[in-house]
Amino acid sequence: MYQVIARKYRPQSFAELVSQEHVKTTLDNAINQRRIAHGYIFSGQRGTGKTSVARIMARCLNCLEGPTSTPCNVCASCKEITSGGAVDVIEIDAASNRGINEMRELRESVRYRPARDRYKVFIVDEAHQITNEAFNALLKTLEEPPEWVVFILCTTESHKIPTTIASRCQQFSFRSVDFDELLKRMEWICVQEGITADAEALAVIAHVGEGSVRDSLSALDQAIACCGSTLHAPEVRALLGMFSQDAMNQVTTALLASDSARMLDIVDELERKGANLQHFCRELARHIRNLLVAKISGEETRLIAASPNEKKSMAAVAAQFSEMDLTRYLQVTLDVFKDLQYSLQPRLHLEIGLLKLVHAAKLTSIEEAIAKLGPGSGPSPSASKPPQSRPSPSGASFAAPRVFDDPLAELAAMPPWQATVKATAGNAFVDAPPPKPAVKKTDGDLRSRLYAAALELGLKFTADGFEAAEISESNGVIEIVAPEECEFTMKEQDVNRVVAAMGMTGVRVKVRFSASVVSGPPPAAKLAASDDATGRALANPTVKRFQETFPDSLVRSVRNLKE
Ligand SMILES: Nc1ncnc2c1ncn2[C@@H]1O[C@H](COP(=O)(O)OP(=O)(O)O)[C@@H](O)[C@H]1O
Ligand SMILES: [Mg+2]
Ligand SMILES: [Zn+2]
């Protein structure tokens, strides 16, 4: 009888299992040390070996020569488990037996010792589908399990397993399998089946499965049924609706040439060939992602699922783009892919998408634009830190976005000219005001250090005074001009303590109070602290810091979200 390849080549031992090293090692140790849990959860993408491992595990536990991590596969127990006829290994498909009755039966059955073997092993497939009542019944069993019971719950959606159950089980997550290992397994299967396949054909088939061994093996079946015992990449590709790298390269070539007309032709050709445009877009996204990875990690990388030749040609294409461009293209392509999923007009969406790619290529970065404005217009030296670019072997320089926990910190860390550019996005950069004089910058720095040091010492009022004061430092003298109303709360000795605590020795501190220094935002922005909420909002250090960073900003209104 003909058996599909996926079932015929179900791994019968840990050694045959592809990838999943962490699962193999842990279970192997557990069995050899006789530390068998009563509940296991195998979670992960379909077709990655959950059911197979559950059955191997059952054989490990019940093999006549066991418990052993290398079951003999010839004894009655082993053989029956393989054929699915073992009385003490019960497989339940929760997708069809999800009710309370089945679980009651199960609870009954759990109470009796195994008929012949060492353990009663319950393998529950699609375990996330059982009902709550059934889960409760299962929980009762797991709370006081008879010594001979082992449950193995297999699921693609482990988050749907109640935590009460999960916490009583050992959990293993099955990963999508490694491309190279999958290729090796398929090559081996082809030899067993007397099939000749070129490396690229197998690579295409491995791709189709997207990490699921079962799906790839099903595609292999399909290819053999269609193409016979010799598999060539072009036919296999056509059969599975995959696109060649050449097709993808047409897009990148048009991109390099900024050729919008060519892009429209590409879509037209696809349409006439009856290709699935959404599928094409997904492949394009994958291709651009691979180019980006080749750019960042080099052509030797393990992170691209492709043959060495393909990787090499990808690296060559990637070299013609910047890392930033590729990142942008990837984003655009993913957006188009998302649009296509709901689109009634896939052709139009793909056309727009490819044209957007051409336009995206013409965008320049803020850094480049600023650089073009010439010297005087750049940031002041104190404010311009070199962008943190990740070094990459291919020499790409792309400013990785800096990560700030606090969005205000991000704004504050930006030199003001840049913040303006951001705020007026799209407007001409030339409107950016000249950088502020450097003295103001030290003022802000010193102020925040004083403020922080005062708070550290528990001097809240002094800290508030620093917030509101004009502070400058020159020739070893720190001059602080605070608003008049601080006169009684900001004591000179406290200020001196703060300065000393900052370790600033040899400086002199001068504190003056003046009516001309107004605390809070400039008058135009001054919002009367008419109620409690407004008062608190205006006094909030973050708000103050914001206003300090953007002196021209206005607080227009304060809204209490709790109301
Ligand atoms: N890790 C793996 N190594 C080798 N073959 C695998 C692996 N995972 C899946 N397979 C193949 O796919 C088929 C289905 O696997 P299965 O264990 O039922 O997957 P799952 O239960 O995770 O959906 C197996 O018969 C086997 O041919
Ligand atoms: Mg399964
Ligand atoms: Zn055996």
Side-chain angles (χ1 to χ4, degrees), residues 403-415 419 422 537 540-550 553:
V403 181
F404 290 92
D405 288 332
D406 169 2
L408 283 177
E410 178 178 0
L411 282 171
M414 268 185 191
K422 189 167 179 172
N540 182 304
T542 314
V543 174
K544 286 189 168 178
R545 195 147 55 84
F546 198 99
Q547 292 189 317
E548 202 178 283
T549 312
F550 304 107
S553 62

Side-chain angles (χ1 to χ4, degrees), residues 9-23:
Y9 294 95
R10 186 186 283 286
Q12 300 298 336
S13 65
F14 286 132
E16 259 185 79
L17 193 73
V18 171
S19 291
Q20 323 301 4
E21 301 304 327
H22 58 299
V23 177

Side-chain angles (χ1 to χ4, degrees), residues 65-82:
E65 310 193 347
T68 164
S69 58
T70 47
C72 72
N73 284 342
V74 292
C75 71
S77 298
C78 282
K79 276 187 167 158
E80 282 176 17
I81 294 171
T82 308

Side-chain angles (χ1 to χ4, degrees), residues 475-526:
N475 303 328
V477 180
I478 297 180
E479 185 163 28
I480 299 170
V481 187
E484 245 174 356
E485 57 269 43
C486 295
E487 198 162 352
F488 300 105
T489 53
M490 205 181 172
K491 302 205 188 76
E492 194 157 12
Q493 75 205 62
D494 288 338
V495 174
N496 280 324
R497 264 179 71 200
V498 172
V499 173
M502 282 163 58
M504 295 181 78
T505 47
V507 292
R508 222 153 44 79
V509 182
K510 279 209 298 199
V511 183
R512 277 196 300 124
F513 298 98
S514 157
S516 65
V517 180
V518 203
S519 60
K526 197 156 189 180

Side-chain angles (χ1 to χ4, degrees), residues 6 9-11 17-18 46-52 213-214 217:
Y9 294 95
R10 186 186 283 286
L17 193 73
V18 171
R46 71 210 167 94
T48 48
K50 299 181 292 298
T51 307
S52 306
V213 186
R214 188 198 290 116
L217 295 187

